[in-house]
Amino acid sequence: GEDVEQSLFLSVREGDSSVINCTYTDSSSTYLYWYKQEPGAGLQLLTYIFSNMDMKQDQRLTVLLNKKDKHLSLRIADTQTGDSAIYFCADAYSGNTPLVFGKGTRLSVIA
Amino acid sequence: DTGVSQDPRHKITKRGQNVTFRCDPISEHNRLYWYRQTLGQGPEFLTYFQNEAQLEKSRLLSDRFSAERPKGSFSTLEIQRTEQGDSAMYLCASSLTEGDGYTFGSGTRLTVV
């Protein structure tokens, strides 16, 4: 079945950029998402990209999609302590198939 | 609209007991999803509904699990004869249309002792 892989930990200094990477196995993935989860909370949708796009920018967030390598990344510019959380990559083949999530990357921001 | 609501937030139960969780999605969302999340893992899909129809169930959803969405609005997830391995966070999410990201509730944390 579909698999989504992420590195488990990332540590950055406040003010630096963070880059969180994700690889997926289903080349037919149409919808790709990034979610943020803070301790004890549900998942918050951050941003998304469709497979017909290579890049999407939304304020401090930039998503890059490399379909050939099945690689997705999330760049957070000017990382703040409030960005400390677990970030999940998720994909779906179509709008009628449920999202498959990675295990999440724990981002720690050092002041 | 206050988003996706889940009740209760926490549930502690003895092994062998039955438990039921409730999810109230965003009112205009016709799609509703249940996921399970254990420590250090991403959410794992359990089942989903479009309106009142249950369209897909994961192999994770054993015979002890049942979900309903009787009027296409709120949904319930029941676990019968709970086991310690059922201890997890149960997340509900809803969405409106194909391609929409999901809006998640805060989850119900189940502890089976």
Side-chain angles (χ1 to χ4, degrees), chain A residues 1-65:
Chain A
E2 167 68 345
D3 198 18
V4 178
E5 298 283 342
Q6 300 179 240
S7 52
L8 296 182
F9 301 99
L10 177 65
S11 182
V12 299
R13 293 196 177 278
E14 191 175 20
D16 288 351
S17 292
S18 308
V19 179
I20 302 171
N21 295 301
C22 168
T23 57
Y24 56 95
T25 57
D26 188 348
S27 57
S28 302
S29 290
T30 304
Y31 305 93
L32 299 116
Y33 303 87
W34 284 102
Y35 284 83
K36 176 183 180 182
Q37 186 176 36
E38 296 185 64
L43 279 74
Q44 173 195 355
L45 177 64
L46 285 179
T47 187
Y48 62 90
I49 192 167
F50 296 150
S51 60
N52 60 356
M53 302 164 68
D54 296 323
M55 185 183 86
K56 180 178 180 182
Q57 188 153 0
D58 185 359
Q59 298 182 353
R60 292 191 299 124
L61 305 179
T62 302
V63 180
L64 294 177
L65 175 60

Side-chain angles (χ1 to χ4, degrees), chain A residues 44-105:
Chain A
Q44 173 195 355
L45 177 64
L46 285 179
T47 187
Y48 62 90
I49 192 167
F50 296 150
S51 60
N52 60 356
M53 302 164 68
D54 296 323
M55 185 183 86
K56 180 178 180 182
Q57 188 153 0
D58 185 359
Q59 298 182 353
R60 292 191 299 124
L61 305 179
T62 302
V63 180
L64 294 177
L65 175 60
N66 181 329
K67 290 184 286 293
K68 175 175 171 289
D69 295 337
K70 289 181 274 189
H71 182 266
L72 183 72
S73 67
L74 173 69
R75 178 177 178 269
I76 306 172
D78 186 26
T79 313
Q80 302 297 308
T81 54
D83 295 323
S84 293
I86 301 176
Y87 290 81
F88 292 95
C89 168
D91 77 336
Y93 168 67
S94 77
N96 293 318
T97 55
L99 289 181
V100 175
F101 286 83
K103 292 186 177 180
T105 299

Side-chain angles (χ1 to χ4, degrees), chain B residues 21-38:
Chain B
F21 310 140
R22 177 180 170 122
C23 172
D24 286 88
I26 292 173
S27 57
E28 62 266 27
H29 286 186
N30 58 9
R31 297 168 186 228
L32 185 148
Y33 309 83
W34 285 99
Y35 281 77
R36 180 174 71 185
Q37 186 179 25
T38 52

Side-chain angles (χ1 to χ4, degrees), chain B residues 51-62:
Chain B
N51 299 311
E52 63 273 12
Q54 188 173 18
L55 295 188
E56 189 169 340
K57 293 196 293 187
S58 161
R59 287 189 302 255
L60 292 176
L61 215 66
S62 76

